[in-house]
Amino acid sequence: MTEGLCVADIRHAYGKLHAVKDVTLSVAAGEIVALLGPSGCGKSTILRIAAGLERIQHGTVEIDGHTVAEPGRDTPPEARSVGLMFQDFALFPHLDVRRNVGFGLRGMPSQQRDNVVASALERIGMAHKAGAYPHALSGGEQQRVALARALAPNPKVMLLDEPFSDLDVVLRDRIRETTAGILRESGTPTLMVTHDPEEAMMMADRIALMDDGRILQEGAPAELYRAPRSAFCATFVGEANALRSVVIGESIATVLGQVPANGHADGASVDILIRPEGLQIDAENGVPGQVKSVRILGRSGLATIELESGVEVTARLFWSNLPKEGQMVRVSADPAMTFVFPAADR
């Protein structure tokens, strides 16, 4: 018997709109997997099918090795042992923190329920707010209470749907880190839906990147960032300088010099994508350029450079290495941060 969640061969349509197309994905015990993609790509539909909130049309859902959904058979959400966390937290305003967390434990003996609630609040650092009502809590505190309520019944799977999108920027990183730590400590398999690549990179052990109802690439965050399978995958998970050229023999001539063709056919039109941190300045054999603008981003910064060809590129550099506006530099590209794909229509 396999612990965790497995959705297999899922297809789902709303009328003529095919929202999910042959998606298979698993989440192991103690693992956080992010379903990442643009709005409307089908990721929330998959989560709703896993939760039992959407009737399955094709494929299967297994939790802990038991089939809970297949065509003609749908175990109701309350019988699937899943914890749910949504964007609005959905705390009951008329219940204090203690009773919100204990809401899903109503069938439990009172002393045992009190112990479980106390343990859950201690775990999230909210024991001192047990008697407070939701309106008296900050957004981050409400989010932690919602997490404690979802985890209190000891679910077999946690499902998170854009749970941090309403938090302010200053709070978001800290709450993400806290949440990921609590989920990993609990060992609960977690499937998280998000449209935010930074959030997926920060929290997930694995990312499944979706578009148009399909998973395009699945792997560790570093794999998606450093070895994207397509131009869409490359640009969705991070910024990139985009150049277009034609393969000549086994190389490609670009405004930044020659780039290996990486198996693309002679004469093929290709798109070359280079991460901003893959551009190096003052390289001995680099292409001349002039710094047009510099933006400070904390420990790093972005320098926009106009090359001698007139093409502008953006380099991400450590703050201490940032050039000045108007400065002449030489620019070269790191092959490890340079990706070549067949040219897309644009």
Side-chain angles (χ1 to χ4, degrees), residues 1 22 28 31 40 54 66 130 145 158 169 172 210 233 249 255 258 286 288 297-298 317 325:
M1 187 179 296
D22 304 305
E31 186 179 35
E54 192 80 47
H66 298 287
V145 173
M158 272 292 293
V169 175
R172 197 176 299 152
M210 290 189 67
C233 295
V255 293
Q258 296 292 319
L297 304 172
L317 305 161
E325 289 186 9

Side-chain angles (χ1 to χ4, degrees), residues 245-249 251 264-270:
S245 190
V246 175
V247 178
I248 301 174
S251 66
H264 292 274
D266 184 22
S269 181
V270 291

Side-chain angles (χ1 to χ4, degrees), residues 1-336:
M1 187 179 296
T2 303
E3 291 186 351
L5 169 70
C6 178
V7 296
D9 197 23
I10 299 295
R11 299 180 208 159
H12 203 82
Y14 299 101
K16 294 182 179 180
L17 174 64
H18 294 274
V20 181
K21 306 167 184 175
D22 304 305
V23 166
T24 295
L25 183 67
S26 63
V27 187
E31 186 179 35
I32 299 175
V33 174
L35 263 178
L36 172 67
S39 297
C41 72
K43 56 189 186 296
S44 288
T45 298
I46 293 170
L47 183 137
R48 290 176 60 82
I49 290 170
L53 302 175
E54 192 80 47
R55 186 171 292 278
I56 198 167
Q57 295 175 357
H58 188 280
T60 59
V61 177
E62 289 186 4
I63 294 177
D64 267 4
H66 298 287
T67 299
V68 297
E70 59 187 347
R73 175 177 143 209
D74 261 300
T75 303
E78 62 273 17
R80 293 192 184 192
S81 187
V82 296
L84 294 169
M85 245 185 84
F86 296 101
Q87 180 176 329
D88 62 2
F89 307 146
L91 298 179
F92 298 107
H94 62 291
L95 300 181
D96 62 19
V97 165
R98 183 185 292 106
R99 286 183 292 166
N100 259 289
V101 173
F103 184 81
L105 307 173
R106 287 171 297 176
M108 191 179 284
S110 59
Q111 186 58 56
Q112 184 183 357
R113 181 176 65 246
D114 290 346
N115 291 340
V116 170
V117 170
S119 175
L121 290 177
E122 191 68 38
R123 178 189 286 175
I124 64 165
M126 291 286 289
H128 64 296
K129 294 284 183 114
Y133 285 82
H135 72 269
L137 304 177
S138 69
E141 288 171 335
Q142 290 182 30
Q143 192 273 346
R144 281 189 280 162
V145 173
L147 177 63
R149 183 179 64 185
L151 284 172
N154 194 27
K156 294 175 180 175
V157 173
M158 272 292 293
L159 302 173
L160 281 57
D161 193 359
E162 305 277 7
F164 311 105
S165 57
D166 279 351
L167 298 177
D168 63 68
V169 175
V170 175
L171 187 63
R172 197 176 299 152
D173 286 355
R174 181 160 54 85
I175 293 299
R176 286 168 176 165
E177 187 174 345
T178 300
T179 300
I182 292 169
L183 289 168
R184 287 196 174 91
E185 181 187 327
S186 73
T188 309
T190 300
L191 180 64
M192 177 181 72
V193 161
T194 180
H195 67 277
D196 184 345
E198 182 179 290
E199 183 166 281
M201 294 271 183
M202 180 182 295
M203 290 191 63
D205 301 296
R206 265 189 305 126
I207 297 172
L209 178 57
M210 290 189 67
D211 190 39
D212 191 28
R214 300 184 187 278
I215 293 176
L216 302 184
Q217 185 170 355
E218 183 182 340
E223 182 183 341
L224 268 72
Y225 193 79
R226 295 179 176 273
R229 290 183 184 168
S230 69
F232 174 86
C233 295
T235 54
F236 195 87
V237 300
E239 297 176 350
N241 294 285
L243 307 173
R244 177 160 289 185
S245 190
V246 175
V247 178
I248 301 174
E250 295 183 356
S251 66
I252 307 162
T254 78
V255 293
L256 285 164
Q258 296 292 319
V259 172
N262 294 337
H264 292 274
D266 184 22
S269 181
V270 291
D271 286 331
I272 303 99
L273 302 177
I274 308 168
R275 297 279 186 225
E277 61 270 30
L279 292 183
Q280 303 158 346
I281 65 168
D282 292 328
E284 192 173 315
N285 299 315
V287 175
Q290 184 178 33
V291 179
K292 305 302 289 184
S293 66
V294 175
R295 283 193 293 141
I296 305 295
L297 304 172
R299 290 174 294 177
S300 67
L302 294 176
T304 300
I305 302 163
E306 183 179 338
L307 304 176
E308 60 180 357
S309 62
V311 173
E312 289 190 353
V313 294
T314 300
R316 186 186 298 274
L317 305 161
F318 284 116
W319 183 84
S320 57
N321 293 334
L322 283 172
K324 293 182 169 59
E325 289 186 9
Q327 183 176 333
M328 298 302 297
V329 294
R330 300 185 77 88
V331 186
S332 65
D334 179 358

